[in-house]
Structure formats: structure tokens, C-alpha cells
Amino acid sequence: DTGVSQDPRHKITKRGQNVTFRCDPISEHNRLYWYRQTLGQGPEFLTYFQNEAQLEKSRLLSDRFSAERPKGSFSTLEIQRTEQGDSAMYLCASSLPRKAAASYEQYFGPGTRLTVT
Amino acid sequence: AQSVTQPDIHITVSEGASLELRCNYSYGATPYLFWYVQSPGQGLQLLLKYFSGDTLVQGIKGFEAEFKRSQSSFNLRKPSVHWSDAAEYFCAAASGDYKLSFGAGTTVTVRA
């Protein structure tokens, strides 16, 4: 079990540029989640996938944000026309549906820290 | 609205002393409850979880948490803190849908 991996770990970009982040979940985990964490706050839910289907999106996910999980394995999160307010840590997590309660147990990757200048 | 509250933003504790971090939740029904720890620049590591049953749950790294329905609380404790426990701790809850709602976190500083 290699854990959830995210790439890149750090990204610095200029305002107005597009960025894309990748998340590789724990193998066999069919649920994948994206969260955003700003300084001094807890993570906030953005969206989640079950296999390749995107089942829920937060109102935090503006039209500039899009997430995909084309083959039900890795996922990408793209931010178009970045703004300074997008600077945050973007966390990915995965879970495996077993018994109902255990489905809620999420394992997090190390995150991608985005800085928009 | 569903929410998780961690009343303490920052706690300083001496090495070897006990630690208690508070967490309160506001949900219509009892949610599933979790504690995560985050070291600087790192992702979140699951310390322990409560689904049902025994209200005192044991986790990794010597941590335990007690669920109290009457107080809507799920406080985290450790009897003797080590310098390596300095980190940020997050309480989280989930109910119905699968997304976690997190508190704002408590930063723990350990002094020698």
C-alpha cells in the first residue's frame, strides 16, 4: 500500500495562468476526494468521485475549477485563470467502500501547495 | 447547518504532561467522528475514528478520544506528550454524504 500521492508538491504561478494538479489514490480505492486548505483553517471539501463519476461539487468550486477522473484511477484538478485567492494547499484523499462506516475513512496525500503571485 | 468546532486555536504543553484537545459537533444525528494530525507542510494522518459502540476509542501514537453524546463532544487526549506530538490537530465529522467537515484546527506546541 503506497499511499495517496500528489504531484507537484509545490506550484508557483502568475495570476491568470492555468495550473493542473494530479492525484493518485491508494490502489483499489474507488472514492477520491479533493479538499482545499487555506492558512489557519481546516480543509474544505471541493468535490468527490466514485470511480469515474463526479458525484458532488461544492459551491466553492467555481467555473474556473474542473476535476476529472477519466478511468477511475488518478484524478486531475485544473484551475483556469488563477487568482491570488486560489493560493492554498490542495489535498487529495481516497477511501474504499467496505462496511458502511468504514467507507467514511479517508486517507490523505501530502498535498499540493499553490502560490499565485 | 452541520459544523465542527475546535474552541482552542493554540495549546502549549510541557513534554511529559497530559494533553486534551476539545471538539464539538453540531449535526442532526450523531455523525462519524475523526481526529487527524498534520505536521508542517504535510498531509493529514488519521489518528482515530468513532463510528459506534464503545465511547472511548484508541488510536495511533498513544492517543485516545472520548465520545460524549450529551455534550456533542469528541475530545482527544494523550496522557504524556512527546516533543514529536507538536503539530496541528483537526477534528472532522461526516454524516450521510461522504465528505468530511473539519474544525479550524488546534496547534499544539510542546515545550521542553
Side-chain angles (χ1 to χ4, degrees):
Chain A
D1 192 343
T2 58
V4 178
S5 61
Q6 293 186 245
D7 183 69
R9 294 291 305 276
H10 303 275
K11 179 70 176 178
I12 299 174
T13 191
K14 293 185 177 179
R15 187 176 53 191
Q17 297 295 304
N18 298 344
V19 294
T20 300
F21 310 141
R22 176 179 170 128
C23 171
D24 287 87
I26 295 171
S27 58
E28 300 179 353
H29 281 198
N30 71 344
R31 291 203 180 106
L32 186 148
Y33 312 79
W34 286 98
Y35 292 83
R36 181 171 68 186
Q37 184 180 22
T38 53
L39 203 61
Q41 298 298 316
E44 295 176 292
F45 170 80
L46 292 178
T47 188
Y48 99 90
F49 293 84
Q50 179 160 310
N51 299 313
E52 64 276 9
Q54 188 174 19
L55 297 187
E56 186 172 346
K57 293 194 294 185
S58 163
R59 57 181 169 76
L60 293 175
L61 217 62
S62 75
D63 292 345
R64 296 184 297 106
F65 288 70
S66 63
E68 293 183 343
R69 194 182 183 197
K71 297 184 179 180
S73 56
F74 73 92
S75 175
T76 58
L77 177 68
E78 181 183 15
I79 309 175
Q80 296 182 329
R81 305 181 303 282
T82 52
E83 302 173 355
Q84 287 187 321
D86 297 330
S87 295
M89 174 81 90
Y90 290 84
L91 294 164
C92 176
S94 68
S95 70
L96 177 64
R98 292 173 295 207
K99 295 180 181 178
S103 300
Y104 290 78
E105 194 170 321
Q106 295 179 22
Y107 295 88
F108 283 80
T112 294
R113 180 164 297 284
L114 173 66
T115 302
V116 181
T117 61
Chain B
Q2 299 174 337
S3 66
V4 176
T5 302
Q6 294 181 245
D8 305 304
I9 296 173
H10 190 194
I11 286 181
T12 298
V13 61
S14 297
E15 191 169 16
S18 63
L19 174 68
E20 181 168 13
L21 304 182
R22 297 183 291 163
C23 173
N24 295 97
Y25 63 88
S26 176
Y27 275 71
T30 300
Y32 299 128
L33 295 161
F34 306 84
W35 276 99
Y36 284 86
V37 60
Q38 185 177 38
S39 298
Q42 301 299 312
L44 287 86
Q45 182 181 22
L46 180 64
L47 284 176
L48 46 75
K49 56 193 180 282
Y50 174 76
F51 294 150
S52 65
D54 193 347
T55 57
L56 186 64
V57 294
Q58 303 296 320
I60 62 171
K61 303 185 178 187
F63 285 92
E64 66 179 24
E66 185 172 13
F67 169 68
K68 292 186 177 180
R69 184 189 306 274
S70 61
Q71 298 178 17
S72 297
S73 69
F74 186 56
N75 293 350
L76 181 72
R77 299 195 293 251
K78 185 168 185 177
S80 177
V81 168
H82 187 261
W83 65 266
S84 60
D85 293 322
E88 191 156 21
Y89 293 79
F90 292 95
C91 182
S95 177
D97 55 28
Y98 293 99
K99 60 190 179 197
L100 293 173
S101 293
F102 286 85
T106 299
T107 300
V108 173
T109 298
V110 180
R111 60 181 174 220

